[in-house]
Amino acid sequence: MRLSDFWRLMDDEFGEGYSRSLASSLVLAEVGGVSAEEALSKGTPPKAVWQAICTMQDVPPERQLGRDIPPKD
């Protein structure tokens, strides 16, 4: 997963404003007890951070892959 995909998933699930707040304040035990921003800056793969957020925030499995994006023409 690319970092841009991580932020797209965050924005889609939590909204643009709240996703940034959540990424900076929610402590994620699964990635070392740091925030998403800290984990990403330390080189933790975005997919691992996203999965940790999904676990902490009880994101249903059907929404963990994000919304369908139609292919570009």
Side-chain angles (χ1 to χ4, degrees):
M1 172 187 289
R2 296 178 304 206
L3 188 57
S4 61
D5 293 327
F6 169 83
W7 286 113
R8 178 184 53 79
L9 289 168
M10 287 288 288
D11 291 346
D12 287 350
E13 183 62 30
F14 303 108
E16 288 184 38
Y18 185 58
S19 66
R20 299 311 190 261
S21 176
L22 192 65
S24 66
S25 63
L26 182 66
V27 175
L28 303 167
E30 290 183 30
V31 292
V34 297
S35 71
E37 285 182 348
E38 291 171 307
L40 292 169
S41 71
K42 291 180 178 183
T44 305
K47 183 175 182 177
V49 177
W50 173 244
Q51 290 172 334
I53 289 170
C54 288
T55 299
M56 288 288 297
Q57 296 299 110
D58 294 322
V59 176
E62 62 270 12
R63 292 202 320 245
Q64 292 182 11
L65 297 177
R67 62 182 166 84
D68 288 337
I69 300 174
K72 295 181 181 180
D73 291 335

